[in-house]
């Protein structure tokens, strides 16, 4: 929602319209200017917004009136049921990161940092410059703007990579979700197995469902997956790919050690398989930085994904997939068929932001802010929810992964917490199979960090209430 004056006026007028009779006349523009202390242009913008939404109608020389509701015939769409047939892909409930929370609630589920954590002025200025450039009037190269491809490749090389990719290995995509879907279609294939950490990123589970890929979970612990278990899963299923987030895994926050990285890469290499490396939290380091694995892969076993959408702006859906050889060509062909190309305005704006000195300054400050929020949420949990166990403190990312008491009904807990104004993500949404224990994910990058203590007090009450109910039913 935009919080400028015209939006505020439109919101208040729409509330009045909701109770006004059809045909009621709104105050004149002059009266609204006086009432809200706004300029005539701002008032006209608010009225235009109401007209676009079909709430009012303007009669030149007379005034603005509440629009009369027209009675429209209900369409008969029942024929589509038989024509379309059964659904091959059945979407589940809306994923937690995409739900909306109200103003008087605690949003600890959002997958995106709140606007206050974003480089707002850099983004606004960059979008303005991009809109005034020739990028506003042309299509982008199919693989992306060359300078943006080069930047993504250089970011991997700058971490001390021994076998860094080059610019031509990068394909710019409209967000990591699109990139993941193309990767699954291109190098895994419908009906084929994909090894995945459990728990894992909800977007990967969704992409697998849409593309028909079969997920084969391997458990991940406080230090990451067991290479021996990974090797056994590949050998048993014949899988040709393993999806993982080696840096600040979502949701657990684990960062793989150098030794584990080397062992996993050897498992993949020795079995002629791919590792799909999702570097989702590259810009969200707190006590440690993200170190991409792809730089240590000389033979094209790693397919790397990195998005700028979370760290630059949700409005700038720009990401890149880096791959080598035939894998790159197949992924690029799928991206081309799926989305043609990414808006050159968005690519230019993203490149503008990330190549300015202020971007590095912002990322360093962001790490400090995230660290403060993480520590505040941890303190609130320890003070108000002693029954919620956080086994490890993440060194980066946006989430805490909490284990609930045995026997907790996670779905009921999430629903009851939401009823009390605390929105969290149930762990069962993040397991590709049955969850071995009850968990919740708490995001510390959302709005109102000063409310963590109150939010955890309410969550603690919900947990206690649920445990009390469980004990009563057992008796």
């Amino acid at each position: 929602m935009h919080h400028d004056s015209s939006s505020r006026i439109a919101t208040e007028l729409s509330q009045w319209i909701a109770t006004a009779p059809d045909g009621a006349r709104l105050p004149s523009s002059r009266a609204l200017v006086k009432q809200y202390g706004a300029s005539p242009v701002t008032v006209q913008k608010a009225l235009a917004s109401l007209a676009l939404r079909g709430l009012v109608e303007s009669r030149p020389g007379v005034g603005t009136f509440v629009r009369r509701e027209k009675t429209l015939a209900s369409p008969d769409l029942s024929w589509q049921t038989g024509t379309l047939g059964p659904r091959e892909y059945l979407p589940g409930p809306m994923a937690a990161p995409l739900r909306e929370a109200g103003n008087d609630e605690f949003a600890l589920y959002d997958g995106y940092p709140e606007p206050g954590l974003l480089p707002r002025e850099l983004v606004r200025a960059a979008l303005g410059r991009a809109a005034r450039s020739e990028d506003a009037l042309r299509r982008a190269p199919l693989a992306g703007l060359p300078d943006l491809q080069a930047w993504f490749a250089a970011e991997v090389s700058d971490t001390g990579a021994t076998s860094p990719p080059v610019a031509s290995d990068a394909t710019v995509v409209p967000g990591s979700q699109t990139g993941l879907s193309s990767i699954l279609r291109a190098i895994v294939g419908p009906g084929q197995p994909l090894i995945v950490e459990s728990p894992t990123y909800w977007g990967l589970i969704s992409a697998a469902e849409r593309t028909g890929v079969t997920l084969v979970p391997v458990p991940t612990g406080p230090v990451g997956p067991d290479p021996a278990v990974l090797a056994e899963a590949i050998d048993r299923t014949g899988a040709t790919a393993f999806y993982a987030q080696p840096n600040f895994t979502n949701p657990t926050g684990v960062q793989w050690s150098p030794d584990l990285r080397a062992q996993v890469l050897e498992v993949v290499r020795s079995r002629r398989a791919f590792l799909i490396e999702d570097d989702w939290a590259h810009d969200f380091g707190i006590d440690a930085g993200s170190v991409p694995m792809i730089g240590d892969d000389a033979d094209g076993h790693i397919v790397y994904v990195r998005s700028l959408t979370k760290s630059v702006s949700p409005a700038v859906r720009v990401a890149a997939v880096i791959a080598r050889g035939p894998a790159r060509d197949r992924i690029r062909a799928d991206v081309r068929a799926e989305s043609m190309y990414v808006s050159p305005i968005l690519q230019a704006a993203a490149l503008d932001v990330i190549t300015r000195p202020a971007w590095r300054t912002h990322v360093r400050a962001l790490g400090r802010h995230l660290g403060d929020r993480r520590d505040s949420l941890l303190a609130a949990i320890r003070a108000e929810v002693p029954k919620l166990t956080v086994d490890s403190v993440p060194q980066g990312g946006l989430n805490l992964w909490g284990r609930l008491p045995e026997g907790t009904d996670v779905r009921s807990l999430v629903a009851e917490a939401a009823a009390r104004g605390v929105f969290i993500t149930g762990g069962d949404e993040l397991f590709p199979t049955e969850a071995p224990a009850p968990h919740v994910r708490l995001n510390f990058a959302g709005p109102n960090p000063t409310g963590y203590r109150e939010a955890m007090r309410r969550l603690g009450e919900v947990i206690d209430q649920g445990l009390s109910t469980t004990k009563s039913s057992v008796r």
Side-chain angles (χ1 to χ4, degrees):
M1 176 183 292
H2 299 288
H3 296 286
D4 58 16
S5 299
S6 65
S7 295
R8 177 176 57 85
I9 296 171
T11 299
E12 294 186 14
L13 288 177
S14 64
Q15 293 170 351
W16 177 84
I17 290 169
T19 60
D22 291 349
R25 182 174 179 175
L26 274 68
S28 67
S29 294
R30 183 175 297 178
L32 292 174
V33 167
K34 184 176 181 180
Q35 177 181 344
Y36 289 102
S39 70
V41 172
T42 299
V43 168
Q44 287 302 317
K45 185 177 178 182
L47 293 175
S49 172
L50 295 174
L52 282 173
R53 290 152 57 188
L55 299 178
V56 301
E57 57 186 359
S58 179
R59 302 174 192 169
V62 181
T64 303
F65 299 83
V66 175
R67 188 174 184 178
R68 292 182 175 85
E69 258 191 57
K70 295 180 180 179
T71 302
L72 302 175
S74 299
D76 179 9
L77 305 177
S78 60
W79 65 270
Q80 294 187 6
T81 301
T83 301
L84 292 173
R87 285 191 290 187
E88 294 182 2
Y89 165 60
L90 196 64
M94 182 180 291
L98 301 181
R99 300 181 195 134
E100 296 290 338
N103 293 330
D104 192 29
E105 297 169 328
F106 301 102
L108 300 171
Y109 59 11
D110 201 344
Y112 296 86
E114 66 153 318
L117 293 173
L118 300 176
R120 290 178 291 185
E121 297 309 314
L122 284 177
V123 171
R124 289 172 178 147
L127 285 169
R129 283 188 287 268
R132 294 190 297 271
S133 73
E134 288 301 309
D135 289 311
L137 303 172
R138 64 182 180 185
R139 69 171 178 83
L142 296 177
L145 298 183
D147 287 349
L148 187 56
Q149 290 179 278
W151 182 87
F152 275 112
E155 281 284 287
V156 175
S157 304
D158 288 347
T159 59
T162 56
S163 303
V166 296
S168 60
D169 295 325
T171 302
V172 179
V173 295
S176 62
Q177 197 65 22
T178 297
L180 286 174
S181 294
S182 287
I183 291 168
L184 297 192
R185 282 191 296 266
I187 70 170
V188 181
Q192 298 304 308
L194 170 68
I195 311 297
V196 60
E197 291 180 287
S198 183
T200 191
Y201 169 49
W202 73 267
L204 186 278
I205 298 175
S206 175
E209 289 175 345
R210 287 200 311 111
T211 56
V213 167
T214 302
L215 296 182
V216 179
V218 293
T220 185
V223 296
D226 184 332
V229 175
L230 171 62
E232 187 277 331
I234 295 176
D235 294 340
R236 171 171 47 87
T237 63
T240 57
F242 170 43
Y243 169 86
Q245 297 176 334
N247 290 288
F248 319 127
T249 305
N250 182 358
T252 62
V254 170
Q255 185 176 36
W256 296 2
S257 69
D259 184 56
L260 178 59
R261 290 154 59 99
Q263 291 183 59
V264 168
L265 189 52
E266 179 54 33
V267 168
V268 170
R269 281 175 176 157
S270 63
R271 286 158 178 80
R272 303 170 69 87
F274 291 99
L275 168 61
I276 303 170
E277 179 186 8
D278 187 348
D279 195 10
W280 77 280
H282 189 95
D283 299 316
F284 302 137
I286 298 174
D287 302 316
S290 174
V291 182
M293 290 179 62
I294 188 173
D296 296 326
D297 168 41
D299 301 319
H301 288 278
I302 294 181
V303 177
Y304 175 84
V305 186
R306 179 181 171 187
S307 176
L308 297 174
T309 303
K310 283 183 170 64
S311 55
V312 172
S313 168
V316 182
R317 291 194 59 77
V318 172
V321 174
I322 299 180
R324 294 168 172 169
R328 175 199 60 198
D329 299 337
R330 292 191 182 193
I331 292 167
R332 188 168 293 174
D334 187 272
V335 170
R336 184 180 307 163
E338 182 73 13
S339 55
M340 289 293 291
Y341 57 85
V342 179
S343 163
I345 288 182
L346 295 183
Q347 291 190 63
L351 184 63
D352 188 323
V353 171
I354 57 183
T355 53
R356 292 189 176 270
W359 167 249
R360 295 295 183 191
T361 303
H362 165 76
V363 171
R364 287 193 293 270
L366 176 60
R368 293 192 294 270
H369 292 315
L370 291 175
D372 290 342
R373 286 165 173 256
R374 177 201 62 187
D375 296 344
S376 294
L377 184 54
L378 275 169
I381 291 171
R382 289 164 179 161
E384 303 291 345
V385 201
K387 294 184 176 70
L388 180 63
T389 304
V390 178
D391 291 320
S392 61
V393 179
Q395 293 188 300
L398 306 175
N399 309 298
L400 294 179
W401 183 238
R403 180 164 44 84
L404 294 162
E406 287 298 326
T408 300
D409 185 330
V410 177
R411 295 195 176 190
S412 296
L413 173 76
V414 171
E416 181 58 29
R420 300 195 188 191
V422 181
F423 293 85
I424 59 178
T425 302
D428 52 345
E429 293 185 37
L430 307 173
F431 284 92
T433 185
E434 293 84 2
H439 287 82
V440 291
R441 190 193 73 176
L442 305 177
N443 181 284
F444 49 79
N448 193 19
T450 58
Y452 286 163
R453 189 73 180 257
E454 172 60 19
M456 291 303 99
R457 184 189 68 77
R458 297 185 196 180
L459 181 60
E461 290 178 352
V462 173
I463 293 174
D464 289 340
Q465 176 184 322
L467 290 175
S468 176
T469 301
T470 301
K471 289 178 181 178
S472 298
S473 63
V474 170
R475 291 172 189 161

